[in-house]
Amino acid sequence: MTNFEKLYNEVIKKSLVEKFGYQNKHEIPKLTKIVLNMGVGDAVTDKKKLTTRQLVFCAVAIALAFITSYLKIFKLPWGGSVTLCSMLFIVLIANWYGVGTGIMAGFAYGILQFIQEPYVLSFFQVCCDYILAFAALGVAGFFAKQSHGLLKGYIVAVIARGAFHALGGYLYWMSYMPDNFPKSLTAIYPIVYNYSYLLAEGIITVIVISIPAVSKALVQVCLLYTSDAADDL
């Protein structure tokens, strides 16, 4: 059972009974699935925007990022873990389809992460740790047209994500540290803590995408899902 299902069964169901006065438990609405929709707008008619094939790829990449986020090499006690290259899939979207698309994909991925494992201290803390941190992976798109753009973009994206985690840690999480925690480390600890696992995963991912066979495969996939001709296949 996911955290959201637990919340629905233990809290929301009771509220529904109180509000609508259900007498039979079978009258209470059941939660069967959670669907995240991405607005397409005029993208179906504007050729400069994402094609249907590209939208499908974005959805697949987000799903792969979410799945690989469960494949944890190791996990830290206060949140954060080294996963099997989960950030790479969001960075690929930004690298192939641009900053805006990358940010939106990171935003959707951040919501999934919040549903998967929510830590709530305040609204702004949630924004830092989930919405802004994962949306920041989209900045990789700024380097798309540069030499070694994927590598450069990935490194900057990891740094950008870590900055928001560190900000949230400094503003909120540090107040939960033991009383004997050195005050002189209040500013530096969130940075060291968050970048310890982000940089570890970053190094692993950089090594993986630097393997010639992997690099060549990524180029082939890029050509398939960014080419206008691909829609005519």
Side-chain angles (χ1 to χ4, degrees), residues 81-191:
S81 59
V82 176
T83 68
L84 192 61
C85 306
S86 61
M87 292 185 289
L88 175 62
F89 296 99
I90 306 301
V91 170
L92 286 174
I93 294 175
N95 181 264
W96 295 344
Y97 302 141
V99 177
T101 305
I103 290 175
M104 289 303 299
F107 174 81
Y109 179 54
I111 293 177
L112 290 174
Q113 286 294 312
F114 178 73
I115 295 173
Q116 174 191 15
E117 196 172 13
Y119 290 96
V120 181
L121 299 179
S122 73
F123 174 75
F124 186 70
Q125 170 267 322
V126 170
C127 288
C128 284
D129 283 339
Y130 297 97
I131 306 302
L132 297 176
F134 290 103
L137 295 174
V139 301
F142 285 118
F143 302 86
K145 297 183 180 180
Q146 296 185 14
S147 176
H148 304 292
L150 177 59
L151 179 60
K152 293 177 182 178
Y154 180 82
I155 293 173
V156 173
V158 171
I159 294 173
R161 175 187 165 183
F164 285 109
H165 285 312
L167 177 62
Y170 174 74
L171 294 177
Y172 296 98
W173 289 103
M174 292 310 296
S175 59
Y176 288 83
M177 299 302 290
D179 294 335
N180 60 350
F181 185 83
K183 299 299 182 183
S184 59
L185 298 179
T186 301
I188 193 67
Y189 182 79
I191 298 175

Side-chain angles (χ1 to χ4, degrees), residues 2 12 20 27 34 37 41 50 55 85 88 105 125 132 137-138 165-166 172 187 198 204 216 222 224:
T2 65
I12 298 177
F20 297 102
E27 294 180 306
I34 301 171
N37 291 322
L50 297 180
L55 285 171
C85 306
L88 175 62
Q125 170 267 322
L132 297 176
L137 295 174
H165 285 312
Y172 296 98
L198 288 174
I204 293 173
K216 183 178 180 180
C222 175
L224 175 64

